[in-house]
Amino acid sequence: MNRILLASAFLLVSIPAAFADGIPSAVPAAVSSVPAAVSPAPKASAPKLVEPHLHIARSNIAGHARIALTFDACMGQADERILSTLVGERIPATIFVTARWLKRNPAALAVFLQNSDLFELENHGENHIPAVDTPTLIYGIASAGSPQAVRQEVEGGAAAMVAAGIPAPHWFRGSTAKYDLSAIGEIRAMGYRIAGYSVNGDGGSLLGAVITEKRIASAKDGDVVISHINQPTHAAGEGVAKALVDLKAKGTEFVRLEDVEDMGDDKTTE
């Protein structure tokens, strides 16, 4: 015990005066020399995202529902099950294409252009990047992250369409169909209407054929259906094709977005 006390006294005496003056008498020097813990920097808050709805003018005729079919062509290949059904049954639809998809699918593009009475082609972006102007992840996909990057995604998609012989687009739908409000304002200022939807037909093409068929077949007068036409190996495509035939048999009127009045929320079409 005496040895411990003598060692402690020696340590206190040996501390330089300029340093010891700032140490409370009850706190050992070794403890006081440890830097104070640094508080972590506050995390940036995630942007508020919206997934806008879109409806079209109803027919208001019993047994004659009016529906707008919209398909995203993100990446990958054309789903011939859906495309052949649309052409064979003469069902009009609005197709949102990316620059990446156009490069890989010249044959499908030719079918679209040869059937201009059926297909309205619109802008799904250059590289399938969510149109959100602050950095975030949506379903694991990095957002554009800045107003400049949002503009590039929109303008790059439009430029690729015109270069492929498609008329200049008037509608835009971003990857994941989610946006922040500031990006919506930016895209609207560029002259685009933003295409939401009211019925999610295929869950991003990840649903099975049966549930996809039921979802699309349940569409009502004034609905806008979103599905995908770029996943030919997914079961959802089979359900999409069956649902189209089911709806036509019920007397459904199919329209393109350019053919009818529409109503979108979150200031997407105002």
Side-chain angles (χ1 to χ4, degrees), residues 89-162:
E89 297 291 335
R90 307 308 295 168
I91 295 175
T94 303
I95 315 295
F96 287 85
V97 297
T98 67
R100 295 174 67 176
W101 188 88
L102 288 173
K103 289 179 181 178
R104 298 187 62 180
N105 294 275
L109 173 60
V111 173
F112 288 145
L113 294 177
Q114 290 163 6
N115 291 273
S116 58
D117 58 323
L118 293 181
F119 300 116
E120 171 190 0
L121 300 180
E122 296 292 351
N123 189 358
H124 196 33
E126 182 176 24
N127 290 307
H128 201 246
I129 296 172
V132 175
D133 61 15
T134 55
T136 191
L137 289 176
I138 307 172
Y139 305 133
I141 305 174
S143 67
S146 71
Q148 295 79 12
V150 169
R151 176 174 289 274
Q152 177 59 44
E153 175 71 1
V154 177
E155 291 183 341
M161 293 177 69
V162 173

Side-chain angles (χ1 to χ4, degrees), residues 22-232:
I23 303 174
S25 59
V27 181
V31 174
S32 65
S33 65
V34 177
V38 178
S39 299
K43 293 183 179 179
S45 58
K48 179 182 178 181
L49 302 180
V50 296
E51 193 166 354
H53 294 93
L54 180 67
H55 289 85
I56 58 171
R58 299 174 180 175
S59 72
N60 291 319
I61 301 174
H64 188 77
R66 177 184 292 152
I67 294 170
L69 297 172
T70 70
F71 293 92
D72 288 358
C74 313
M75 295 168 280
Q77 302 294 329
D79 190 332
E80 291 294 336
R81 296 169 298 181
I82 300 172
L83 182 54
S84 62
T85 300
L86 291 170
V87 174
E89 297 291 335
R90 307 308 295 168
I91 295 175
T94 303
I95 315 295
F96 287 85
V97 297
T98 67
R100 295 174 67 176
W101 188 88
L102 288 173
K103 289 179 181 178
R104 298 187 62 180
N105 294 275
L109 173 60
V111 173
F112 288 145
L113 294 177
Q114 290 163 6
N115 291 273
S116 58
D117 58 323
L118 293 181
F119 300 116
E120 171 190 0
L121 300 180
E122 296 292 351
N123 189 358
H124 196 33
E126 182 176 24
N127 290 307
H128 201 246
I129 296 172
V132 175
D133 61 15
T134 55
T136 191
L137 289 176
I138 307 172
Y139 305 133
I141 305 174
S143 67
S146 71
Q148 295 79 12
V150 169
R151 176 174 289 274
Q152 177 59 44
E153 175 71 1
V154 177
E155 291 183 341
M161 293 177 69
V162 173
I166 303 170
H170 302 287
W171 286 87
F172 176 79
R173 175 182 285 156
S175 167
T176 74
K178 292 181 182 287
Y179 316 81
D180 53 352
L181 295 178
S182 53
I184 287 176
E186 292 154 13
I187 297 166
R188 292 288 290 126
M190 295 170 66
Y192 287 90
R193 303 171 81 77
I194 296 175
Y197 62 90
S198 59
V199 175
N200 186 337
D202 63 359
S205 82
L206 299 178
L207 297 178
V210 173
I211 186 63
T212 296
E213 180 182 0
K214 289 181 178 179
R215 280 195 178 195
I216 297 176
S218 70
K220 298 178 176 57
D221 195 15
D223 272 333
V224 175
V225 180
I226 182 176
S227 297
H228 292 74
I229 196 168
N230 66 300
Q231 295 290 355

